[in-house]
Amino acid sequence: MNDFGLRDVSVVVIGAGQAGLSAAYHLRRAGLEPERDFVVLDHAPGPGGAWQFRWASLTYGKVHGMHALPGMALTGADDSRPSSEVIGDYFTRYEEAFGLRVHRPVAVAAVRSGDGGRLLVESSEGTYATRALINATGTWDRPFWPRYPGQETFRGRQLHTANYPGPEEFAGQRVIVVGGGASGTQHLMEIAEVAAETTWVTRREPVWREGPFGEVQGRAAVALVEDRVRRGLPPQSVVSVTGLPLTDAVVRARERGILDRLPMFDRITPTGVAWDRDPAPGRGPDRELGGGRTMDADVILWATGFRAAIDHLAPLRLRERGGGIRVEGTRAVRDERVHLVGYGPSASTIGANRAGRAAVRDIRRLLDREPVAV
């Protein structure tokens, strides 16, 4: 700690999910020591990243593409056990095995430029002065809620994937699921088993992916996301360009009509939703109304995704006119001291591992240079 009450470290890592732990692992491999050279700050109550907040019905066997953290395989996991427990336990063992000494729960309010080329990381346990920052805050803390006319008048229940409790709470209810991603289809297939009625609504026609999805296809998908980030646009999820896997469960649900989607409604009413034009003539127990159609509902479940949780970086003015942060590799173009992992093309679990390694490689070069004022 220096004379100004700041805690001096070479690197601060914000977030201890897949991306943050991967970065911390590579910092150790590069010769930096936890507490002495770097700290990992995490706002969550325990290990597990965003996985610890997932609903209990999302068992480990339903998780697609969970890639092991570097240096320690995840073996012997029970597919019937909740993914929140499996991955929470795995992350706990990982942190202990590599002595990462994550500080939690610690909330980071802001990151600013300080004197002597340092960044000032203002947190609930004090302010850190650091030469480099690895931001690994993911998206879970920023659920995206679209706005539609009449939304505030709905007398039923509205909730987001971030608050999804599992299917049991929807027994006997009429549920509208909004969103064409993996979460939306998973929610829909679960809820359909207990609900009185389910309706699936998406902005675009879902794209189903058949056959294997190998390294070539994965690289092509990541390249599309990476292009947006390079142009300073807000990143889209990798899933948005890969399509939805056509699993056996999905095939069965489609045969039963559960995954017959409707286009987005135009407004929300006190008792449900409404389209100005009939989205599916002759379908369902909804009502015609002046050339349009209404549908009653008890619940609207917004499976509409998340945005990058980067508001604490606002004082650094990293955003481009397009609304995103332009990065080269993992480095913010506007400030070489800042690296974003688990952002844009590195948002997948395997991508986060690679990004952690790449960020540390660049930061090691930065630390080897003489500090200069910024």
Side-chain angles (χ1 to χ4, degrees), residues 55-180:
W55 49 100
S57 58
L58 181 62
T59 58
Y60 186 66
K62 295 179 182 177
V63 172
H64 299 292
M66 170 62 195
H67 198 271
L69 286 159
M72 179 187 287
L74 172 53
T75 58
D78 181 353
D79 282 353
S80 66
R81 194 177 173 204
S83 59
S84 58
E85 296 179 6
V86 172
I87 298 172
D89 289 349
Y90 172 50
F91 280 20
T92 298
R93 296 195 306 272
Y94 191 87
E95 292 178 18
E96 292 171 351
F98 296 104
L100 300 180
R101 302 178 67 178
V102 177
H103 294 213
R104 61 166 61 90
V106 177
V108 173
V111 181
R112 309 178 191 277
S113 281
D115 296 333
R118 297 276 178 156
L119 292 166
L120 301 179
V121 181
E122 300 173 1
S123 80
S124 57
E125 67 172 14
T127 300
Y128 288 90
T130 183
R131 290 185 60 193
L133 176 78
I134 296 178
N135 192 82
T137 46
T139 62
W140 187 258
D141 296 326
R142 284 205 61 201
F144 175 62
W145 291 75
R147 304 303 303 170
Y148 278 83
Q151 197 159 3
E152 69 285 353
T153 70
F154 183 58
R155 293 197 292 263
R157 183 183 181 191
Q158 296 187 64
L159 69 161
H160 191 276
T161 289
N163 315 111
Y164 179 66
E168 295 81 10
E169 287 197 23
F170 304 99
Q173 297 184 314
R174 298 162 298 178
V175 182
I176 296 175
V177 177
V178 183

